[in-house]
Every structure is written in C-alpha cells, then in structure tokens.
C-alpha cells in the first residue's frame, strides 16, 4: 500500500507563473489536507477536501490559491501568479475518516525566483 | 494565534540519554498528536493521544497529556543518533477537528 504521493518533489517557478502541486492520497483515503511550511516553522493548515468537495478552506489565501479533489485523479493545489513569498514546502496528508491519523506525503518544495 | 508551542525550541543531548519535549496549546482539543520530521523530509506520525487519555506509550516513546494545564510532553528514552529530527505536536481542536494545528517544533540533536 503506497503512501501519500506528492509530485513534483521540487518545483521552480518565476514570479507571475503558475504552480500546480499534485497529491495522490493513500488507497482507501477520501480525506485530503494541504499544509504549508515556511523555513524553520511548523506546518500551517490550508485546506481540507473530500472527494469533489471543499470542506474547510479557512487557511487558504483569498486570492491566487485554489484546490480541488476530483472524483478521479489526484488532488491539485494551484497557485496562480506566484510571488517570492509563496516559496515554501507544501505538504499533503490523507486520512480514511475524520479524526483519524493523517498520513503525510514527502512534500513539494516550491521555489519562486 | 498559535495553538501549539513546543519547548524547548532546540535540544541537544548525548546518545543514550532521555529527551523530553513539551507542548502547550490554547483551546479545547479532541486529540493531540506528535510527529517527527527529518531534515527536508515529510512528517512521520508517532503517537496520538485523545483528550480523555492521560498517558500513552509506544516503544521508547511516552506521551502525557494534561488537559487542565493544556499541555503535553513527549519523552524519548535511551535516545539514538537516528532520533535526530524535528518533533512537532499537533492538536485537533473540537470545532474543525479535521485540521491539525501545529507548533513550531523542537529540533532534537543526538550526539554520538
């Protein structure tokens, strides 16, 4: 049973470009969470999705950021018109149900030049 | 405001010694979890303790939870060089329990 798969592991973008981060949850997991980690800091919650639904996006910036978890395929975190402040590690986690353990992927490290 | 705060921010001990890390939080929780993160890697789940539990063990790990003081501690006994990592506590709050609120972590270094 493969773990949570995130790709790419590293992503370099220039200011103004778009970044797409993908997350495939563990088999049988229908709950997906995205977190952002700035250097030397803990993780900050961004968004919680179940299949085809956004349940809680209270941690998402109001502009440029969006997330989806379609019926088929991975969850996508999309950042439009990236700025240097978006440089961070973005982690995805999945769980089989609410209030159960969240299993994390290895993260995508986004660098904005 | 930050929910979880770890103490100390950094800890350096000799191999074989015990390491204790503390975590404080502000709001009522459903459960509290501890994670380990090796440098540049993802998070590995260590242990989950529910709000109605006071102590939990897993191998060389011992976690305590004091809901009256809103604090938790993680004890690693007989530390090994491979325990070198950052350790984070994360709380699942009662409202919105689906999301975890992380502290800033304790960087633990085990010296051989």
């Amino acid at each position: 049973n493969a773990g949570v798969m995130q790709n790419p592991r590293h992503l370099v973008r220039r200011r103004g470009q778009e970044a797409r981060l993908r997350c495939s949850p563990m088999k049988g997991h229908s709950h997906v969470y995205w977190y952002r980690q700035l250097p030397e800091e803990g993780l900050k919650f961004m968004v919680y999705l179940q299949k085809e639904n956004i349940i809680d996006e209270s941690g998402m910036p109001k502009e440029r950021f969006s997330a989806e978890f379609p019926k088929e395929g991975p969850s996508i975190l999309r950042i439009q018109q990236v700025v240097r402040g978006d440089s961070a590690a973005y982690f995805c986690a999945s769980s089989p149900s609410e209030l159960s353990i969240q299993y994390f992927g290895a993260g995508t490290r986004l660098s904005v030049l | 405001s930050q929910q979880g705060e770890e103490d100390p921010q950094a800890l350096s001990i000799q191999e074989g010694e015990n390491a204790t890390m503390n975590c404080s939080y502000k709001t009522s929780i459903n459960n509290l979890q501890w994670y380990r993160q090796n440098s540049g890697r993802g998070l590995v789940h260590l242990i989950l303790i529910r709000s109605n539990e006071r102590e939990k063990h897993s191998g060389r790990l011992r976690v305590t939870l004091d809901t009256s003081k809103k604090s938790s501690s993680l004890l690693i006994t007989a530390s090994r060089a491979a325990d070198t990592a950052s350790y984070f506590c994360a709380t699942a709050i009662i409202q919105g329990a689906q999301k975890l609120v992380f502290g800033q972590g304790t960087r633990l270094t085990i010296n051989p």
Side-chain angles (χ1 to χ4, degrees), chain B residues 66-82:
Chain B
D66 186 336
T67 53
S68 66
K69 295 181 179 177
K70 291 187 168 59
S71 67
S72 173
S73 68
L74 170 67
L75 168 68
I76 303 175
T77 60
S79 63
R80 305 167 182 169

Side-chain angles (χ1 to χ4, degrees), chain A residues 47-109:
Chain A
V47 62
Y48 161 47
L49 311 100
Q50 293 182 34
K51 279 290 186 182
E52 300 185 272
N53 292 305
I54 296 175
I55 306 302
D56 183 344
E57 57 181 347
S58 57
M60 286 276 272
K62 294 287 184 271
E63 297 178 348
R64 302 187 298 108
F65 285 70
S66 62
E68 62 177 12
F69 188 17
K71 187 176 180 181
E72 301 292 337
S75 175
I76 305 288
L77 179 67
R78 182 182 177 206
I79 311 172
Q80 295 178 290
Q81 299 175 323
V82 296
V83 301
R84 287 218 173 108
D86 297 333
S87 296
Y90 292 82
F91 290 95
C92 168
S94 73
S95 66
S97 63
E98 293 181 355
L99 298 179
S100 58
I101 294 169
Q102 294 181 22
Y103 295 88
F104 282 78
T108 293
R109 278 151 187 82

